[in-house]
Amino acid sequence: MRPPLSARLEGFGTTIFTEMSALAARTGAINLGQGFPDTDGPAEVIEAAVAALRAGVNQYPPGPGIPELRRAIAVHQRRFHGIELDPDGEVLVTTGATEGIAAALLALCEPGDEVVTFEPYYDSYAACIAIAGATRRVVTLRPPDYALDPEALAGAFSARTRAILLNTPHNPTGKVFTRAELELIAEHCLGRDVLALCDEVYEHLTFDGREHIPLATLPGMAERTVTLSSAGKTFSLTGWKIGWATGPRELVAAVQAAKQFLTFVSGAPFQPAIARALELPDAYFERFRADLQAKRDRLCAGLRAAGLDVFEPAGTYFVTTDITPLGGTDGHAFCLSLPERAGVVAVPTVAFYDDEAAGRPLVRFAFCKRPEVIDEAAARLAGLRS
Ligand code: PMP
Ligand code: GLN
């Protein structure tokens, strides 16, 4: 019999998030692996979903998303980024950014096309590029600052490059791409007639006053960029899976052409609730960011005290570390033994690299947890030094 899994999906196995969350569940360790908050999102947003459920908002919503949410997404893009969008045609509601990324790659790539992306990469990128029949060309970002190497970037493009898939703020490194880096990326896209897919799910999670710059706001880029984002991180509602794709009409229509056969539509009762969330006052976003920055500082201090080499993130839920100072070289083995050694679960960053040597000693920890949970994890990790 032929093996059940298609060749396209061979080698992708079970995601590292599933593996590590299962390890946490099995061992009772503190889960700083998979990135999800351990507190609920805004009460008024949850109440809006409850009200929608009770009001009978339980059947298929319109394909592109309910008008109220598409309008709220367009208003959000103008309010925070100065991006003008027509909610009718330039905004598509998706089942999380995950679906938006998959639909965009399926819609825009031909088999044989190449997609440039950065490693460490979010794991679904590699899988979805493969499902689309395209090939990934990977540019390695290296600690301590994960700065973009212009030569490596130039070397990743070829005559077959269809798109660049960028994530800023970046998971797992916590890097926020600088304007100069984005300008360089834009220069390649414009010069080579390449599309851009920009995953901005951490758009509100930047620290120390750093600015998140959407790639679509660079000169000439709006016409060729599909921006993907989602409510999951910004509102601590990762299980709701409401995301969106925005950009020029023809590109969004292409993404919708794929989306309609993936999920057809996305979570009806959550859509009006996320429309409410996007309209929350600035104070919500500022407070959320400040809280998360304090959590970052708390966990980074704990990880440093435990003896790890810490690469302080400028954004996201995550901090990456190098385990070498503790005598380790293999992040995956380290993470498998961590529940027993310290009662904590983390994610081996090597799972997000093609160049395994570059990722081998790196381990990612999530700090989107209550302060007391971070403190307890830090106290447990302190024992690693001995
Ligand atoms: N992109 C990145 C970089 C992520 O970290 C995540 C994590 N959830 C996603 C996309 C997926 O977003 P969603 O949960 O909205 O599908
Ligand atoms: N984005 C989250 C992370 O990086 C988890 C998403 C998932 O489990 N697929 O941890």
Side-chain angles (χ1 to χ4, degrees), residues 265-330:
V265 293
S266 305
F270 298 123
Q271 293 198 30
I274 296 301
R276 287 277 303 275
L278 289 168
E279 288 159 1
L280 287 171
D282 290 353
Y284 167 77
F285 296 88
E286 282 156 19
R287 169 126 194 253
F288 180 63
R289 186 192 309 251
D291 272 2
L292 201 60
Q293 182 173 319
K295 291 175 179 185
R296 173 202 63 174
D297 293 342
R298 215 176 182 100
L299 183 60
C300 286
L303 295 172
R304 275 189 207 102
L308 292 151
D309 210 351
V310 174
F311 310 121
E312 189 169 281
T316 78
Y317 279 169
F318 309 111
V319 51
T320 57
T321 62
D322 189 322
I323 61 170
T324 309
L326 290 178
T329 52
D330 180 342

Side-chain angles (χ1 to χ4, degrees), residues 31-123:
N31 189 355
L32 302 186
Q34 193 176 27
F36 60 89
D38 61 356
T39 48
D40 256 339
E44 63 264 51
V45 177
I46 290 170
E47 287 312 316
V50 172
L53 281 161
R54 293 200 193 286
V57 186
N58 297 308
Q59 310 309 328
Y60 297 127
I66 62 168
E68 182 191 349
L69 176 55
R70 282 184 281 119
R71 259 196 314 275
I73 292 164
V75 169
H76 170 276
Q77 292 304 91
R78 183 192 307 131
R79 171 179 162 200
F80 290 100
H81 308 311
I83 295 173
E84 295 292 335
L85 294 165
D86 181 351
D88 297 320
E90 296 182 333
V91 177
L92 171 69
V93 175
T94 60
T95 302
T98 305
E99 190 201 25
I101 293 158
L105 289 164
L106 287 169
L108 301 170
C109 292
E110 296 290 355
D113 282 349
E114 292 180 354
V115 177
V116 173
T117 194
F118 301 89
E119 69 177 358
Y121 47 72
Y122 186 56
D123 62 349

Side-chain angles (χ1 to χ4, degrees), residues 327-371:
T329 52
D330 180 342
H332 196 246
F334 176 87
C335 287
L336 289 178
S337 69
L338 202 55
E340 196 177 312
R341 289 175 69 195
V344 171
V345 160
V347 165
T349 314
V350 71
F352 314 126
Y353 283 86
D354 289 348
D355 178 355
E356 289 186 8
R360 189 165 292 123
L362 305 178
V363 170
R364 187 194 83 172
F365 294 83
F367 49 81
C368 47
K369 307 292 174 183
R370 285 167 290 142

Side-chain angles (χ1 to χ4, degrees), residues 116 150-151 153-163 184-195 224:
V116 173
E151 270 176 43
L153 180 67
F157 285 87
S158 82
R160 289 204 298 250
T161 309
R162 169 61 166 164
L184 193 59
I185 291 167
E187 207 174 288
H188 283 286
C189 291
L190 293 165
R192 298 167 185 270
D193 195 20
V194 161
L195 297 175
R224 58 178 65 245

